[in-house]
Amino acid sequence: MKNSFYNTTEVIGLIGNPTKQSYSPFIYNVAIEITKLDYIYLPFNVQASNLQNALKGMVALGIKGFNVTIPHKVKVLDHISNLSEEASITGAVNTIVNEHGKLTGYNTDVHGILESLMPFKEEITGSEMTLIGAGGSARAVIYVLIRYFKPKRINLVNRTEQRAESLKVYFQDKMKYDSFKTKELFPPDLVEIFSKSKLIINATPIGMFPEVDDNVTTIPESFTKDQIVFDLVYNPADTKFLQLAQSRGAITIDGIKMLVHQAAKSFNLWTGVEMPVDDLYKSLQLFISK
Ligand code: NAP
């Protein structure tokens, strides 16, 4: 923030409820500091009943952009007519850009997931993959897998199998992809499904602070050497899930990478400037471990 009188400062921020737990104010304000942009990022706690008013306020006040978090990521689509392809297909918006009163919705989680998986493109393309979870972020994962990595099959594993079924039907329709197999989270044959998958992704909060000892599976044979295992949980970065996978020789990807890259995409959409992702990754690692 270079203008000490705030006369030209652009406002960006976060709408959600709650917003207290979010790392976004830290990420973006550090990025603003490093890039010396005249911006400020603020969290706004918005009740579901006030969502439309908040968007009107955004336009009226000239707020440049919002991140959108729980519980508004899906509902916000009712109020925005312009959507990116990712937002439209996943049915979820995590970033809004205000261009002179015209609001456009994006899903930059897709970008964070893609950046996390791209280094392993050769190994995973065309392979069998397993995704645990059927919530909002699972939608972004499925979009990326189908769009960029041509999966032989996607095993959709979820605590509530019915929700995995609904997601399967949704993506069969939206992306014309048929090779899904759905499973409930805890049956014994999961070990076989896991171990046959080249890529395993956790898109549930299992193992997240403060329940850091929880794990999707405690069976070492679930993992194999050279498998790629990705956990969306970023607090802690080194989850029990990734620890177990590492102990079997798997290659692991933590959730901080996704967190930084989805933020970098939003930052670029609002400011036109690249976020210094390596600096942010290091700052976040330190911030989260404290
Ligand atoms: P969500 O929409 O609430 O979905 C949560 C999913 O996890 C559902 O499928 C739910 O199963 C399952 N689940 C929740 N608690 C469970 C438990 N105790 N045991 C088994 N399954 C459980 O959440 P989301 O937005 O997709 O987020 C999921 C995780 O991804 C969170 O930890 C979040 O922090 C992380 N995330 C990370 C990033 C990043 O940038 N790294 C971005 C987005 C999200 P049911 O269907 O049975 O309820």
Side-chain angles (χ1 to χ4, degrees), residues 27-28 31 35 260 263-265 267-268 273-278 280:
I27 297 173
Y28 292 104
T35 53
V260 171
K265 181 71 180 174
F267 189 76
N268 184 253
V273 171
E274 297 295 325
M275 180 187 262
V277 286
D278 293 341
L280 257 300

Side-chain angles (χ1 to χ4, degrees), residues 190-202:
L190 271 191
V191 177
E192 199 190 327
I193 290 174
F194 277 30
S195 61
K196 274 190 186 159
S197 304
K198 183 69 193 169
L199 172 68
I200 305 181
I201 302 178
N202 174 37

Side-chain angles (χ1 to χ4, degrees), residues 40 79 91 129 137 160 250:
I40 186 168
H79 309 292
M129 308 174 182
S137 52
T160 316

Side-chain angles (χ1 to χ4, degrees), residues 69-70 73 94 109 112-113 116 132-139 157-164 167 185-186 202-208 211 214 216 230-235 254-263:
T69 189
I70 288 170
K73 276 185 170 185
N94 77 335
D109 281 343
I113 294 160
S116 301
I132 307 128
S137 52
R139 284 171 179 247
V157 177
N158 196 43
R159 177 175 61 182
T160 316
E161 196 179 347
Q162 187 47 47
R163 247 184 122 189
L167 220 51
L185 185 52
F186 298 108
N202 174 37
T204 76
I206 299 173
M208 192 168 87
E211 313 295 341
D214 288 358
V216 168
F230 177 20
D231 200 337
L232 268 59
V233 171
Y234 49 80
N235 183 16
D254 68 42
I256 300 185
K257 189 159 185 191
M258 173 180 167
L259 189 62
V260 171
H261 280 280
Q262 59 83 26

Side-chain angles (χ1 to χ4, degrees), residues 122-143:
E122 229 171 85
E123 293 95 314
I124 61 180
T125 297
S127 69
E128 181 164 338
M129 308 174 182
T130 292
L131 169 64
I132 307 128
S137 52
R139 284 171 179 247
V141 171
I142 296 171
Y143 173 83

Side-chain angles (χ1 to χ4, degrees), residues 30 44 75 188 245-246 288:
V30 169
F44 297 100
K75 265 284 162 210
Q246 263 162 18
I288 290 173

Side-chain angles (χ1 to χ4, degrees), residues 89 146 168-180:
I89 294 183
I146 298 174
K168 166 180 151 178
V169 171
Y170 180 87
F171 278 95
Q172 279 172 335
D173 176 45
K174 286 273 179 188
M175 297 187 83
K176 311 293 171 224
Y177 177 86
D178 268 327
S179 301
F180 286 108

